[in-house]
Amino acid sequence: MRKTLLTLAAVFGLSAAALAHEYQAGALHIDHPWARAMPAVAPTAAAYLVVHNHGEQADRLLGADTPRADKVEIHRHVHQNGLMKMEAVDGGVEIPAGGELKVTPGDYHLMLFGLKQPLEDGQRFPMTLHFQKAGDVTVDIAVQKDAPAPAAPADSGHAHEGMDHGAMDHGGMDHGTGQP
Ligand SMILES: [Cu+2]
């Protein structure tokens, strides 16, 4: 099992590296914008990227749009009463001076509403990001099935990997087949 996981990780690492693309806009550096491939019937999709701010002033990601969808909103995942929900972010998101904004699964995403064509693995489509200081930056969004391999070893997305409820043993709970 462990060997299989390591092999898969290596394959993903290779393909992500081969597809990786990045942009520079003033003090901002935008890493590998991508969106998850979706079934043809899906009316929405989510796009992700990481913005590093090498400048000395904070900037803000205010929004985005793309010819591929009717509308793009910045969304954030929030935990509420034990449930994971998403909500639209008003007023954009800060990219701190010398810091980064991670628009990554489980945190922020760029939500695409009213897709005009399904997002298929291997496609690319343009999206224009609106920054408060850096202005409009058009990037290509790479459509892919899997998230790019994380740059850092820490990946909170795997925190629940060990929770296999299907393996719970309910065998002792059958009171109907007690002693005759
Ligand atoms: Cu969303």
Side-chain angles (χ1 to χ4, degrees):
M1 187 52 155
R2 161 169 279 190
K3 194 173 181 187
T4 308
L5 286 174
L6 286 175
T7 308
L8 283 174
V11 171
F12 290 163
L14 276 180
S15 65
L19 287 169
H21 59 304
E22 53 196 292
Y23 300 85
Q24 189 76 36
L28 301 184
H29 185 95
I30 302 162
D31 263 347
H32 195 63
W34 69 282
R36 203 182 288 281
M38 297 294 288
V41 291
T44 60
Y48 307 97
L49 46 85
V50 178
V51 186
H52 304 273
N53 183 356
H54 299 297
E56 286 170 6
Q57 287 185 308
D59 203 337
R60 287 185 91 76
L61 176 61
L62 300 174
D65 53 66
T66 172
R68 196 67 181 260
D70 290 335
K71 190 171 67 161
V72 180
E73 286 182 359
I74 304 172
H75 280 193
R76 158 163 240 183
H77 280 111
V78 288
H79 287 284
Q80 213 171 62
N81 304 323
L83 292 174
M84 188 77 127
K85 294 181 159 192
M86 61 183 187
E87 61 182 21
V89 175
D90 288 329
V93 193
E94 187 180 73
I95 312 151
E100 63 182 16
L101 165 64
K102 285 180 159 183
V103 182
T104 51
D107 200 344
Y108 291 105
H109 56 275
L110 292 160
M111 188 99 183
L112 283 68
F113 291 94
L115 284 179
K116 294 176 183 173
Q117 297 164 49
L119 298 188
E120 290 169 16
D121 187 31
Q123 291 179 334
R124 287 197 176 201
F125 64 91
M127 181 180 283
T128 301
L129 307 168
H130 308 298
F131 295 101
Q132 192 170 55
K133 295 205 175 74
D136 287 357
V137 182
T138 299
V139 301
D140 265 356
I141 306 285
V143 182
Q144 53 193 73
K145 277 185 274 190
D146 301 295
D155 182 356
S156 59
H158 290 183
H160 300 287
E161 221 166 42
M163 294 176 60
D164 182 2
H165 297 289
M168 282 172 67
D169 182 11
H170 295 279
M173 294 175 65
D174 188 356
H175 301 290
T177 56
Q179 300 199 357

